[in-house]
């Protein structure tokens, strides 16, 4: 067999099946990825103590309502830019938000002042909702990831609020 024939044989027996395998294996994963940035619809973020979530933001309406240091409710309206959405989506992918359980921690009756955070990302076909309770005593890596995601959302909202100038 000539050198050229060996190269063709090698390509047909090893390289072509590998390409076919990769195509068959990865095509459904890429096509059915439920949380794609292009499918993003809206994001809701709420936080407060126990069941009183008086601080909220909804990216669909752009309404941001929070309680300031003087215990008065402040309502502002601003929208996130596509860069903000892309940043939060990438960070959520990086942190693994899509693999988080729906509830991190548990509702506690022993203490009245337990912080609670609700994060919801809505996409065309699916949505991801995570509730984070402040008195979490489980896996510390999961808690760190959840706290990191919460901080990213709060920083993004703060920057968008400053940009709006309201």
């Amino acid at each position: 067999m000539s050198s050229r024939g060996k190269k063709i044989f090698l390509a047909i027996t090893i390289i072509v099946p590998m390409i076919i395998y990769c195509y068959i294996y990865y095509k459904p994963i890429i096509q059915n990825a439920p949380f794609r940035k292009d499918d993003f619809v809206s994001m809701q973020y709420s936080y407060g103590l126990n069941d009183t979530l008086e601080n909220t933001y909804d990216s669909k309406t752009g309404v941001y309502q929070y309680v300031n240091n003087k215990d008065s409710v402040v309502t502002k309206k601003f929208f996130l830019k596509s860069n903000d959405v892309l940043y939060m989506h990438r960070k959520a992918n990086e942190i693994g938000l899509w693999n988080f359980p729906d509830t991190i921690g548990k509702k506690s009756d022993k203490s009245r002042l337990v912080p609670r955070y609700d994060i919801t990302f809505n996409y065309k076909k699916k949505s991801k909702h995570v509730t984070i309770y402040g008195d979490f005593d489980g896996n510390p890596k999961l808690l760190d990831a959840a706290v990191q995601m919460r901080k990213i959302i709060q920083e993004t909202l703060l920057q968008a609020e400053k940009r709006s100038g309201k």
Side-chain angles (χ1 to χ4, degrees):
M1 187 181 266
S2 70
S3 174
R4 185 170 185 255
K6 288 179 184 179
K7 289 179 184 176
I8 292 172
F9 177 75
L10 179 68
I12 291 172
T13 59
I14 296 176
I15 297 171
V16 172
M18 186 63 165
I19 291 171
I20 293 170
Y21 169 76
C22 288
Y23 177 77
I24 291 170
Y25 181 78
Y26 288 109
K27 183 182 177 196
I29 294 171
I30 292 170
Q31 279 185 335
N32 296 328
F35 303 108
R36 296 188 319 216
K37 193 266 179 203
D38 296 335
D39 295 340
F40 180 81
V41 175
S42 66
M43 185 265 307
Q44 288 88 28
Y45 176 64
S46 307
Y47 60 97
L49 299 175
N50 289 343
D51 291 334
T52 310
L53 301 176
E54 62 237 356
N55 307 301
T56 61
Y57 178 75
D58 187 353
S59 68
K60 186 180 273 188
T61 60
V63 175
Y64 184 41
Q65 180 178 333
Y66 63 94
V67 178
N68 66 6
N69 295 340
K70 300 174 185 172
D71 288 336
S72 59
V73 177
V74 178
T75 302
K76 295 183 178 185
K77 187 170 184 174
F78 60 88
F79 293 96
L80 297 175
K81 290 184 176 181
S82 62
N83 290 343
D84 296 332
V85 172
L86 179 62
Y87 174 72
M88 285 193 302
H89 180 77
R90 284 187 180 164
K91 286 297 185 177
N93 276 337
E94 210 175 276
I95 293 171
L97 178 73
W98 320 129
N99 300 323
F100 282 11
D102 291 339
T103 304
I104 299 174
K106 58 185 177 222
K107 192 174 181 179
S108 176
D109 295 331
K110 62 183 176 187
S111 175
R112 294 183 144 201
L113 301 175
V114 176
R116 175 181 160 194
Y117 305 92
D118 282 354
I119 302 169
T120 306
F121 281 88
N122 298 312
Y123 292 84
K124 288 179 184 174
K125 295 182 181 179
K126 221 173 177 188
S127 66
K128 179 64 177 178
H129 178 258
V130 177
T131 302
I132 305 166
Y133 289 99
D135 61 344
F136 180 72
D137 60 350
N139 185 353
K141 289 183 181 179
L142 180 61
L143 180 62
D144 288 343
V147 168
Q148 186 179 0
M149 190 66 216
R150 177 186 59 82
K151 286 181 181 178
I152 288 168
I153 292 172
Q154 284 182 327
E155 289 170 4
T156 305
L157 291 177
L158 183 64
Q159 290 173 359
E161 181 184 6
K162 285 181 182 177
R163 251 194 331 262
S164 72
K166 295 179 182 178

